[in-house]
């Protein structure tokens, strides 16, 4: 069966090898005569899955021992609340950097908990760029500095992160986690919904420095990082199928050569499409400034809405899925997460060139 050219922004493409292995094990996991979905989360079989996911995350991201890995639910949207509930000191406030819609939503939730300052924003210019590091300013006693590492809607991505010293740097990495090597020790907390680079929707990875985990009896039990850290992310029934698929994606990443090799492949994939944009003599216009371009979400426009509609229809006829831009900005978007094959990006670049030559 031919696979679609899947450029959806999320839930997104999963590696075909992962899907085939999951299919093979679907009715009988490890000789249990049960599906992973049917296993008790307290069983020996499931414990091996849970432990493997944790171990591979720690290995592939080189997570130091003084960090806890939590496998939670609720997506990044719940983390917008959990982060300030657990870390925001109301006497100090927190600092947020605005680079798109998701950071705006994070700010909205944080303001429900305590005072928030905007350390930098590119909203006035239409979120075309990541702010220069020199333009980011936060209160020196702030509780933490929060950023969104990659912006799926606008197609921008941090190339270098601010140095925050003793102040914890918090990052929503939902759409570019494990797409490139990072120094985890630069961050106090990293969180990511799995449905872009790590697996299916349903599980959220939180990587938190252990000294930031505090027991606070005033917090609702399920909204406390301490609850989940002290129970190995097994306080309540975890999303077992999503964690199983997470473990398979991590296994696939390791087999591909790890994060450093994945990063090289992502750079090559992105270059194919950005070259099609840059060499089109203005037929395609990228949304993001060149020094802020994302290797995960490539956003661009065509000369008219009529041509955009024609492009999307002809692309769909050729098997390209998910190329419509977000409703808030329009245009087109190609999401080329880790699992999107190089050949699919090459096919899209060739289609873009052919469409331009026919319609310009």
């Amino acid at each position: 069966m031919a696979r679609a050219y899947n450029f959806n922004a999320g839930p997104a493409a999963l590696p075909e090898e992962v899907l085939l292995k999951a299919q093979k094990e679907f009715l009988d996991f490890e000789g249990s005569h049960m599906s992973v979905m049917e296993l008790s989360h307290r069983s020996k079989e499931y414990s091996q899955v849970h432990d493997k996911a944790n171990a591979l995350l720690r290995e592939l991201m080189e997570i130091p021992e003084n960090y806890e890995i939590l496998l939670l639910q609720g997506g990044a949207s719940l983390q917008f609340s959990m982060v300030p509930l657990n870390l925001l000191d109301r006497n100090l406030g927190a600092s947020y950097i605005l680079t798109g819609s998701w950071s705006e939503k994070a700010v909205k939730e944080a303001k429900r908990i305590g005072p928030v300052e905007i350390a930098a924003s590119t909203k006035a210019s239409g979120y075309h760029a990541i702010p220069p590091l020199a333009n980011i300013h936060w209160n020196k006693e702030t509780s933490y500095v929060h950023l969104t590492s990659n912006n799926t809607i606008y197609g921008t991505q941090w190339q270098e992160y601010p140095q925050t010293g003793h102040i914890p740097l918090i990052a929503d990495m939902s759409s570019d986690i494990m797409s490139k090597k990072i120094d985890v020790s630069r961050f106090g907390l990293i969180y990511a919904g799995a449905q872009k680079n790590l697996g299916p929707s349903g599980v959220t990875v939180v990587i938190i420095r252990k000294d930031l985990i505090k027991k606070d009896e005033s917090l609702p039990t399920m909204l406390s990082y301490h609850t989940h850290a002290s129970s190995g992310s097994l306080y309540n029934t975890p999303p077992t199928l999503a964690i199983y698929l997470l473990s398979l994606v991590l296994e696939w990443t390791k087999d591909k050569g790890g994060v450093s090799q994945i990063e090289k492949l992502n750079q090559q994939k992105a270059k194919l499409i950005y070259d099609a944009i840059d060499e089109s003599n203005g037929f395609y216009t990228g949304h993001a400034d060149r020094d802020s371009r994302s290797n995960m979400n490539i956003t661009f426009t065509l000369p008219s809405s009529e041509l955009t509609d024609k492009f999307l229809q002809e692309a769909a006829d050729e098997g390209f899925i998910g190329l419509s831009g977000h409703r808030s900005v329009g245009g087109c978007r190609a999401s080329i997460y880790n699992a999107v094959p190089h050949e699919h990006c090459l096919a899209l670049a060739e289609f873009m060139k052919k469409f331009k030559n026919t319609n310009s």
Side-chain angles (χ1 to χ4, degrees):
M1 182 184 68
R3 297 275 291 157
Y5 297 124
N6 184 356
F7 293 96
N8 276 318
L14 287 167
E16 185 173 354
E17 299 96 315
V18 166
L19 295 172
L20 289 171
K21 183 170 183 179
Q23 180 186 50
K24 182 179 178 182
E25 297 181 334
F26 195 73
L27 293 178
D28 184 7
F29 176 73
E30 297 288 337
S32 66
H33 306 294
M34 291 181 286
S35 171
V36 168
M37 291 186 292
E38 300 174 291
L39 296 173
S40 165
H41 63 293
R42 307 292 182 188
S43 67
K44 177 186 69 176
E45 292 87 355
Y46 175 72
S47 292
Q48 292 172 351
V49 171
H50 200 89
D51 293 345
K52 183 172 83 169
N54 275 286
L56 284 170
L57 272 169
R58 192 171 295 277
E59 176 187 350
L60 290 165
M61 292 186 67
E62 299 177 1
I63 300 171
E65 287 302 316
N66 63 323
Y67 283 74
E68 195 78 46
I69 300 171
L70 308 177
L71 303 177
L72 307 181
Q73 299 174 63
S77 295
L78 182 57
Q79 293 307 306
F80 296 163
S81 299
M82 283 187 74
V83 166
L85 278 169
N86 285 266
L87 303 182
L88 195 157
D89 184 325
R90 290 168 178 80
N91 295 317
L92 302 178
S95 305
Y96 281 70
I97 302 169
L98 290 182
T99 52
S101 298
W102 296 109
S103 51
E104 287 184 2
K105 291 181 178 182
V107 166
K108 180 181 177 182
E109 296 306 309
K111 284 181 175 179
R112 299 177 190 271
I113 312 303
V116 170
E117 67 169 358
I118 304 303
S121 173
T122 55
K123 185 174 184 177
S125 61
Y127 291 134
H128 284 271
I130 298 298
L133 296 184
N135 293 351
I136 305 171
H137 304 285
W138 55 83
N139 184 317
K140 64 180 181 179
E141 297 301 327
T142 192
S143 300
Y144 58 83
V145 177
H146 179 285
L147 59 81
T148 305
S149 62
N150 182 77
N151 300 282
T152 56
I153 294 175
Y154 300 97
T156 61
Q157 185 178 27
W158 288 78
Q159 309 303 319
E160 183 181 359
Y161 297 111
Q163 294 277 3
T164 57
H166 70 283
I167 296 170
L169 179 60
I170 312 298
D172 174 1
M173 291 191 177
S174 292
S175 53
D176 70 345
I177 192 169
M178 286 184 56
S179 69
K180 60 180 182 179
K181 290 202 71 170
I182 62 163
D183 181 358
V184 173
S185 68
R186 291 273 304 277
F187 300 86
L189 186 152
I190 294 167
Y191 62 91
Q195 65 273 14
K196 320 279 190 179
N197 271 340
L198 297 179
S201 57
V203 61
T204 307
V205 172
V206 173
I207 302 163
I208 180 172
R209 210 172 63 218
K210 290 180 180 179
D211 64 288
L212 297 176
I213 302 172
K214 310 292 186 183
K215 187 173 184 178
D216 184 347
E217 297 292 352
S218 69
L219 288 182
T221 303
M222 285 293 290
L223 298 181
S224 168
Y225 290 131
H226 183 271
T227 297
H228 302 288
S230 61
S231 61
S233 303
L234 292 166
Y235 176 80
N236 65 318
T237 305
T240 54
L241 179 62
I243 293 171
Y244 161 69
L245 288 166
L246 165 65
S247 73
L248 295 187
V249 172
L250 294 171
E251 202 170 53
W252 171 85
T253 303
K254 183 175 180 178
D255 290 343
K256 288 293 181 182
V259 177
S260 58
Q261 186 60 30
I262 290 288
E263 180 176 8
K264 291 177 184 176
L265 294 171
N266 285 334
Q267 291 169 344
Q268 294 166 7
K269 294 185 320 188
K271 187 177 187 301
L272 290 170
I273 301 172
Y274 281 124
D275 282 352
I277 293 171
D278 295 338
E279 295 168 5
S280 71
N281 295 318
F283 185 81
Y284 301 110
T285 303
H287 178 86
D289 291 355
R290 290 198 182 207
D291 61 357
S292 296
R293 281 175 164 177
S294 169
N295 281 345
M296 294 287 95
N297 308 96
I298 301 175
T299 52
F300 57 95
T301 57
L302 282 79
S304 67
S305 58
E306 291 77 17
L307 273 174
T308 300
D309 290 343
K310 184 179 181 184
F311 175 89
L312 292 171
Q313 182 57 60
E314 292 188 12
D317 293 342
E318 295 287 332
F320 295 98
I321 306 299
L323 289 176
S324 181
H326 190 271
R327 60 187 178 277
S328 63
V329 297
C332 301
R333 171 176 58 180
S335 297
I336 56 171
Y337 302 121
N338 291 358
V340 176
H342 181 277
E343 313 86 76
H344 291 195
C345 296
L346 178 60
L348 175 59
E350 293 301 320
F351 172 80
M352 291 172 67
K353 293 173 186 176
K354 182 176 71 173
F355 186 88
K356 179 258 178 185
N357 291 336
T358 305
N359 292 278
S360 59

